Amino acid sequence: MVILLSAFYLLAVMHAGPSAAQDWHSAQRARMVAGIASLARETSGATGRPTLSEAVMTAMGTVPRHRFVPAPLEVFAYKNQPLPIGEGQTISQPFLVALMTDLLDPKPGDTVLEVGTGSGYQAAVLASLVAKVYTIEILEPLARRATHLLEELGYRNVELRIGDGYNGWPEAAPFDSIVVTAAPADVPKQLVYQLKPGGRMVIPASGSSDWQYLLLVEKQSDGTVTMKRTLPVRFVPLKRDRSAK
Ligand code: SAH
């Protein structure tokens, strides 16, 4: 019922003109950010992050998530839930995007790799926080859509490649941080290798066949690697391109 009312309200504000729709979306985004803040507090026992950085919260409050979901689902864009984006894939729930971004400790000068572009939303959030985002998507139709959307929305610091991201992006390595948004069976060694000393990777792995732990992998300045389990999560599987090297 609440959803139906929001749908009617959205239709009404869209009818009232673009600035009314914009106000509606920014009010929805503000509510989403408040929801993220309370989920962060509730899950801090597992994540160690009762509050997320102001920069990450600002990015979450700015990036227009409704543009990254299929038009008929726009009304759900600011609910804390994953949504289908076609090709059997999903855009992650906003809280997880915020948490994963925060765990990377993004800094303005950073170069970040994302494996699993999907809708392009996580890439857009990162692009508003760091200097350069490299992102890889294995499914061509999603990659094409994300490329056009990121361009249209003016994210000029994102470079997208179509392919299997299991082996990272060696030519652009090393990275300050890496985020993987699909679940491999194990943490890919090549990705760890492509982290700078002091770098961080967030990746869903090492659970069972249908859920994973969100892992924080840290490469220390002496090259040793530590892994911390945070929340149990459920991501789509990381596919492998068997023809790739
Ligand atoms: N970060 C995305 C969520 C993506 S869902 C967003 O913000 O919308 C995971 C994505 O990973 C899917 O689009 C899927 O096609 C992609 N994927 C799966 N295996 C992959 C691989 N080996 N390399 C690159 N992308 C992969």
Side-chain angles (χ1 to χ4, degrees):
M1 186 60 177
V2 172
I3 285 160
L4 257 186
L5 283 176
S6 332
F8 284 131
Y9 187 66
L10 176 62
L11 280 178
V13 290
M14 279 167 73
H15 197 66
S19 88
Q22 241 170 37
D23 290 350
W24 190 81
H25 287 306
S26 54
Q28 291 282 302
R29 257 197 311 278
R31 209 169 303 165
M32 176 188 85
V33 169
I36 290 171
S38 71
L39 277 168
R41 278 191 299 275
E42 284 165 27
T43 54
S44 64
T47 65
R49 303 253 162 152
T51 54
L52 308 187
S53 85
E54 224 175 286
V56 170
M57 292 303 246
T58 302
M60 296 304 294
T62 313
V63 178
R65 190 171 190 260
H66 64 279
R67 296 297 311 278
F68 293 84
V69 305
L73 301 180
E74 197 177 304
V75 69
F76 304 116
Y78 295 105
K79 308 276 173 218
N80 188 45
Q81 61 186 61
L83 290 169
I85 53 171
E87 310 290 324
Q89 306 304 313
T90 53
I91 177 173
S92 309
Q93 72 182 95
F95 169 63
L96 276 183
V97 174
L99 175 67
M100 290 167 85
T101 307
D102 197 71
L103 288 169
L104 299 176
D105 282 346
K107 293 181 197 63
D110 282 359
T111 299
V112 180
L113 173 68
E114 178 191 29
V115 177
T117 317
S119 67
Y121 177 68
Q122 169 82 76
V125 169
L126 284 167
S128 51
L129 291 161
V130 303
K132 179 86 191 187
V133 179
Y134 292 89
T135 182
I136 312 178
E137 171 56 53
I138 201 165
L139 299 176
E140 196 169 330
L142 294 181
R144 295 211 179 286
R145 205 185 307 150
T147 303
H148 291 138
L149 183 58
L150 290 166
E151 213 172 282
E152 185 193 328
L153 295 176
Y155 294 100
R156 306 252 174 271
N157 55 342
V158 181
E159 202 168 317
L160 192 150
R161 167 187 274 186
I162 301 171
D164 181 354
Y166 187 86
N167 290 316
W169 193 318
E171 308 88 307
F175 301 100
D176 295 287
S177 62
I178 300 179
V179 62
V180 183
T181 65
D186 294 298
V187 176
K189 287 197 177 54
Q190 280 305 311
L191 296 185
V192 178
Y193 183 69
Q194 287 171 30
L195 275 179
K196 285 184 189 169
R200 306 158 76 83
M201 171 160 66
V202 175
I203 179 168
S206 88
S208 76
S209 55
D210 58 354
W211 65 276
Q212 309 85 33
Y213 278 106
L214 191 61
L215 301 180
L216 174 62
V217 179
E218 292 177 275
K219 190 188 261 187
Q220 311 299 329
S221 38
D222 65 359
T224 54
V225 175
T226 60
M227 281 194 209
K228 256 185 244 154
R229 284 180 173 181
T230 68
L231 293 180
V233 289
R234 190 167 175 174
F235 276 79
V236 295
L238 189 93
K239 301 175 199 299
R240 295 307 319 279
D241 175 2
R242 296 291 162 205
S243 65
K245 45 188 165 47

